[in-house]
Amino acid sequence: DHGSRPLMRALRLVALVLIASIIALGVVAEQDERPAPESVTVGGLGQPDATTGTWFCPGGSGPGGRAAVALEVINAGTEPAVADIVTVRSDPEPGRRSQVSVGAGERIGVAIADLAVDAAWIGAIVEVAGADVIVEQTYDGLTGIDRAPCTTRTSQELFATDGATRVIAEGEEMLLLLLNPFQEDAVVDIAFDADVGIDRLTAVVVPARRLAVIDVTQEVTVAGRVSARIEAVAGRVVGSRIQTRTGTARGLTVTPLVQDGAAASVIPSVRTELGLTDRVLVTNPGEESAEVDLEILTDGSIEPDPVELTIRPGRTVEVVVAAESRLATISEFAVLARSLTGDPVAVGIERLAAMDPEIVPGTAAMPGIVGAAERWIAPLDGTSTQLVLVNPSMTAIARTEVYLVGPDGRSLVTTIELGPGRRTTVSGDVLGERPIVVVEASSAIVVGREIVGLTSRQMMAAVAASELTPIAQLP
């Protein structure tokens, strides 16, 4: 029985007692956010307030672990800023506080492991001043490196759209990290949908101001594909999926969990390049079947018909891009996943690069981006990088300017006119080494990042720095 281990039984017993006590008092109180403004999550990213942002970072392992984590604070503004950092651990030891100063146009790395000595797993809560100051996480593991954004809001429903647990055959291991930034315990139920069957964990406690680590490899064994739905029955949490591979596709991916789902999401970059395997995953959390179209957005040279999906309640559908003959002649494109009924679904992409001397090996993944904005911040870092700009509106033309930001101010790199339903890229060759990039547009767009190192691949959203509009509401 997957849930019969003594520690898990003890945690669930505590959770059941907690829930029973709340009901006996006749009060079921929802925990409030920290004193930070309401924000909209975009592919796991939040939009900070114009003056103050509170960032929740689910973190990773301590030094020498499978995903050793550090933070980076990026200031794309014109004034110096201060970041107040509090560590969150997976053990009962209290977190520690530190402050970091970041000059205008600078990016500062923070070794949070120094603030949480001997912690197996570490996260952080970061408060910063200014909408142009963002916080991201960097990872260095035994199987590769990765980068993932922090978020500015928590949720009662989160999704991991993909993962794998074939330890012996492919060296695949999957973990879920759940961070509870509040002063009261949270309790979650987790439902797994895998190619080997359906499983469930109930009443899992995420203690107050702590991290909970769920080893999916032990819960759903020998799965080539497994998705997870996390539902908080008490409290609110934020989380990440950590996926390691040591087999034919070696790599590390740390992916923010999708928060709440959406009626429309954008994946900025999908490729059909030889040696790459891109898979688009769509999870239907509803109680009725979902009809979803994957609309293909290109530079306009070709406009293929959408891929039509029917997804049963509580299940996940996988689309292997290389198996779709209509897409074989398009080297790269964006996908707009649209729920035809308007019901929310969770969308993500997983990329595997084979061990081929002609291409950089590794793995990459990101959740779909559910909101568009007129301003984005995108720090880049790698031997080969590019920005991906997508206009998900079917009527508006987006006149877009791309700037580099540094201690001496900002400079215009290029101007692009992006037509309705179009996608384009900006090469890292014109952006320089480790740039802070700011993208401004006349109408709401979506911005993604692709980073290729010597032995690794990364995909992620840029960070929205202006008001967000749900993609489903765009004209």
Side-chain angles (χ1 to χ4, degrees):
D1 180 2
H2 293 309
S4 63
R5 287 183 298 280
L7 177 59
M8 189 62 74
R9 282 205 309 268
L11 287 173
R12 291 175 191 167
L13 179 59
V14 172
L16 292 174
V17 171
L18 171 66
I19 295 172
S21 300
I22 293 172
I23 294 173
L25 291 171
V27 178
V28 180
E30 180 179 325
Q31 297 174 19
D32 293 331
E33 297 276 355
R34 287 169 60 87
E38 269 301 308
S39 57
V40 180
T41 290
V42 182
L45 298 173
Q47 172 196 336
D49 176 75
T51 56
T52 303
T54 300
W55 296 84
F56 306 113
C57 308
S61 66
R66 68 181 71 185
V69 65
L71 298 184
E72 188 174 43
V73 184
I74 299 101
N75 183 0
T78 58
E79 299 292 335
V82 174
D84 188 76
I85 301 168
V86 179
T87 56
V88 180
R89 303 168 58 123
S90 58
D91 56 41
E93 292 294 320
R96 292 179 57 192
R97 184 180 297 271
S98 178
Q99 282 192 341
V100 175
S101 297
V102 188
E106 291 185 349
R107 47 197 296 182
I108 302 294
V110 181
I112 57 172
D114 293 345
L115 304 174
V117 178
D118 297 329
W121 298 93
I122 316 161
I125 303 167
V126 184
E127 293 186 355
V128 297
D132 284 346
V133 183
I134 65 173
V135 185
E136 299 198 326
Q137 303 161 106
T138 60
Y139 297 90
D140 187 357
L142 302 176
T143 60
I145 64 174
D146 203 4
R147 185 182 190 93
C150 301
T151 177
T152 61
R153 72 185 282 266
T154 56
S155 179
Q156 291 179 299
E157 188 172 42
L158 306 99
F159 303 90
T161 58
D162 191 36
T165 62
R166 296 174 298 185
V167 178
I168 297 177
E170 294 291 342
E172 297 169 331
E173 296 184 83
M174 176 182 176
L175 294 170
L176 297 176
L177 263 59
L178 301 178
L179 182 148
N180 175 8
F182 302 112
Q183 301 292 345
E184 302 292 336
D185 291 352
V187 182
V188 302
D189 291 342
I190 306 175
F192 299 104
D193 173 25
D195 53 8
V196 294
I198 297 174
D199 206 344
R200 189 173 184 87
L201 290 174
T202 58
V204 177
V205 175
V206 186
R209 305 286 280 190
R210 295 258 294 279
L211 276 175
V213 183
I214 312 300
D215 190 344
V216 182
T217 307
Q218 298 297 319
E219 302 296 335
V220 185
T221 58
V222 202
R225 181 198 59 76
V226 55
S227 61
R229 176 188 182 187
I230 300 98
E231 184 178 7
V233 296
R236 299 170 68 90
V237 296
V238 66
S240 294
R241 181 212 65 166
I242 295 179
Q243 179 71 55
T244 58
R245 292 180 170 90
T246 59
T248 54
R250 180 183 178 86
L252 166 69
T253 53
V254 183
T255 313
L257 298 182
V258 177
Q259 294 189 4
D260 302 322
S265 304
V266 168
I267 297 173
S269 182
V270 183
R271 293 178 176 267
T272 58
E273 180 181 339
L274 187 65
L276 297 184
T277 301
D278 277 13
R279 297 178 295 130
V280 176
L281 295 306
V282 184
T283 298
N284 172 20
E287 298 180 355
E288 303 289 338
S289 291
E291 303 291 334
V292 177
D293 277 0
L294 303 184
E295 301 174 11
I296 311 303
L297 308 184
T298 68
D299 60 4
S301 58
I302 185 172
E303 297 182 0
D305 292 334
V307 177
E308 300 174 351
L309 305 177
T310 299
I311 310 168
R312 289 183 292 164
R315 307 304 294 271
T316 297
V317 167
E318 171 190 86
V319 177
V320 180
V321 175
E324 297 292 328
S325 58
R326 78 189 81 177
L327 306 178
T329 60
I330 313 173
S331 59
E332 56 181 313
F333 51 91
V335 164
L336 196 167
R338 194 185 301 275
S339 170
L340 300 185
T341 62
D343 297 319
V345 295
V347 179
I349 182 172
E350 196 90 15
R351 174 173 295 163
L352 307 181
M355 300 296 289
D356 187 320
E358 299 298 321
I359 64 171
V360 174
T363 62
M366 68 173 288
I369 304 173
V370 304
E374 296 180 0
R375 195 165 186 272
W376 296 81
I377 299 172
L380 296 173
D381 187 9
T383 58
S384 175
T385 63
Q386 72 172 13
L387 286 183
V388 186
L389 313 180
V390 182
N391 181 3
S393 170
M394 295 299 121
T395 61
I397 296 174
R399 294 172 178 83
T400 306
E401 296 176 333
V402 179
Y403 295 90
L404 292 182
V405 177
D408 298 327
R410 71 178 195 170
S411 58
L412 179 65
V413 175
T414 186
T415 301
I416 299 168
E417 187 171 282
L418 200 56
R422 295 290 182 256
R423 170 198 189 272
T424 193
T425 61
V426 180
S427 170
D429 294 340
V430 302
L431 299 173
E433 190 173 340
R434 300 194 78 243
I436 300 173
V437 184
V438 172
V439 180
E440 297 179 353
S442 61
S443 61
I445 64 171
V446 167
V447 179
R449 293 174 276 176
E450 281 193 84
I451 300 173
V452 179
L454 295 174
T455 59
S456 66
R457 292 174 172 271
Q458 301 168 37
M459 290 190 297
M460 67 205 80
V463 180
S466 65
E467 183 179 356
L468 287 160
T469 301
I471 291 171
Q473 296 180 12
L474 294 176

